[in-house]
């Protein structure tokens, strides 16, 4: 005869052994117990009981409306997945001069606001404009810089494994290098200072993509980084000015489209959004819809 299990067991493909399991069913609707509505809190015997918190994106959507902005759920996803080493790795797609797609993995360096000092005083420097921009860095000799000069349209795709969320950010790409406007140079300098010495040294390597003459580690042996905060001439700050965001939650099976009023491109599905407001919300220059996942 099998031993009695004193702990509750989910009959929908999930179970708990040698641990305490507690189900948290969403109370906002009398839905049946399914894998998507099952929540576990597991703790070893004798350990304090943890506290379960509903994700803020789910709280924000309690009334069926989209989140107020796309930056709030993106920041939450970054925070919730912070323990993953790959949380800042983003796929960035550009278009080359022939119209062909080019994609690579880049490292998210932060929102532009953290590098912006706000002393420019120019029109367009307000918070909403700065907060919509995300940043990466690049070697100004790389192919993506030439591609951006030919066509500045780009899209970043971000997947968070812990929370099972995807964010696709589309907009225009700006490469900030020497000779740019002063306010952009200040942001570039701050981004340079935020890098580690190891990351800075990569901008002194030989030109990316050319035939190899010496290993990077050999080049690093004789490398002396310049003193002071001045970036190397090869260092560029890459700024994606976001115009459209496609936000998908695989855990909740929900999806939202966030679009700015100045979005340069409109997909066929976006025309349907304009004709049928559905679950619509407007926040400043942004409009948001909940759509089919």
């Amino acid at each position: 005869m099998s031993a009695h299990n004193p702990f509750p067991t989910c009959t929908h493909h999930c179970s708990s052994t040698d641990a305490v399991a507690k189900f948290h069913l969403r109370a906002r609707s009398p839905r049946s117990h399914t894998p998507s509505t099952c929540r576990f809190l597991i703790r070893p015997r004798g350990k304090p009981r943890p506290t379960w918190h509903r994700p803020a994106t789910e709280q924000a959507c309690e009334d069926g409306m989209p989140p107020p902005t796309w930056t709030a759920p993106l920041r939450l996803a970054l925070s919730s997945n912070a323990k993953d080493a790959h949380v800042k790795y983003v796929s960035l797609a550009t278009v080359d001069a022939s119209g062909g797609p080019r994609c690579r993995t880049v490292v998210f360096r932060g929102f532009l606001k953290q590098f912006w000092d706000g002393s420019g005083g120019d029109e367009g420097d307000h918070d909403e404009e700065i907060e919509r921009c995300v940043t990466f860095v690049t070697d100004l000799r790389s192919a993506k810089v030439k591609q951006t000069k030919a066509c500045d349209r780009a899209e970043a795709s971000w997947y968070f494994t812990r929370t099972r969320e995807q964010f696709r950010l589309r907009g225009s790409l700006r490469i900030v290098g020497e000779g740019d406007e002063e306010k952009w140079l200040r942001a570039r300098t701050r981004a340079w200072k935020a890098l580690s010495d190891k990351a800075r040294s990569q901008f002194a390597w030989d030109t990316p993509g050319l035939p190899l003459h010496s290993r990077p580690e050999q080049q690093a042996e004789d490398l002396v980084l310049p003193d002071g905060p001045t970036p190397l001439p090869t260092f560029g700050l890459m700024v994606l000015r976001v115009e459209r965001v496609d936000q998908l939650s695989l855990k909740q099976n929900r999806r939202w489209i966030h679009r700015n009023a100045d979005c340069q491109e409109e997909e066929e599905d976006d025309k349907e959004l304009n004709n049928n407001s559905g679950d619509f919300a407007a926040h400043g220059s942004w409009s948001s819809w909940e759509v089919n996942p």
Side-chain angles (χ1 to χ4, degrees), residues 39-254:
R39 294 288 189 267
F40 278 106
L41 284 183
I42 299 177
R43 62 184 173 90
R45 296 179 186 275
K47 296 292 184 179
R49 185 179 299 276
T51 303
W52 179 83
H53 299 282
R54 179 178 296 173
T57 49
E58 188 172 314
Q59 294 173 355
C61 301
E62 194 73 31
D63 58 357
M65 296 299 290
T69 65
W70 59 270
T71 54
L74 178 56
R75 289 180 185 275
L76 177 63
L78 285 165
S79 175
S80 300
N81 293 265
K83 292 184 178 180
D84 292 337
H86 55 269
V87 67
K88 292 189 175 183
Y89 295 161
V90 187
S91 296
L92 180 67
T94 55
V95 181
D96 65 16
S98 66
R102 295 290 181 266
C103 190
R104 79 286 294 160
T105 302
V106 294
V107 179
F108 171 65
R109 300 294 177 178
F111 288 88
L112 177 61
K113 188 175 182 180
Q114 71 186 70
F115 303 125
W116 200 260
D117 62 9
S119 62
D122 296 336
E123 185 178 355
D125 284 357
H126 52 85
D127 285 348
E128 184 180 0
E129 180 67 20
I130 300 304
E131 288 182 354
R132 70 190 287 187
C133 297
V134 295
T135 65
F136 318 97
V137 299
T138 186
D139 192 309
L140 293 175
R141 301 166 294 175
S142 67
K144 71 173 83 65
V145 176
K146 300 181 181 68
Q147 295 160 12
T148 302
K149 289 180 179 179
C151 178
D152 66 355
R153 305 305 295 164
E155 181 164 308
S157 181
W158 218 325
Y159 185 71
F160 299 95
T161 55
R162 284 178 180 262
T163 54
R164 297 172 59 203
E165 295 172 277
Q166 177 182 263
F167 289 80
R168 292 165 54 197
L169 283 57
R170 184 189 305 173
S172 57
L173 204 57
R174 178 178 185 139
I175 309 292
V176 182
E178 288 187 319
D180 218 311
E181 298 176 59
E182 183 61 32
K183 60 181 180 181
W184 287 102
L185 290 178
R186 290 195 295 268
R188 174 176 174 256
T189 298
R190 286 183 170 84
W192 171 261
K193 292 168 66 175
L195 297 180
S196 64
D197 287 342
K198 184 177 181 180
R200 294 179 193 176
S201 67
Q202 298 176 12
F203 294 92
W205 293 354
D206 293 339
T207 302
L210 294 186
L212 180 68
H213 295 293
S214 62
R215 298 292 303 168
E217 54 267 24
Q218 294 173 335
Q219 301 173 33
E221 291 178 358
D222 302 324
L223 177 64
V224 178
L225 290 174
D227 294 330
T230 304
L232 289 174
T234 55
F235 173 74
L237 175 63
M238 196 159 48
V239 181
L240 179 62
R241 182 177 181 269
V242 180
E243 300 170 4
R244 186 182 189 275
V245 177
D246 190 325
Q247 176 193 350
L248 173 67
S249 171
L250 294 177
K251 184 174 289 187
Q252 300 181 51
N253 288 324
R254 303 182 75 173

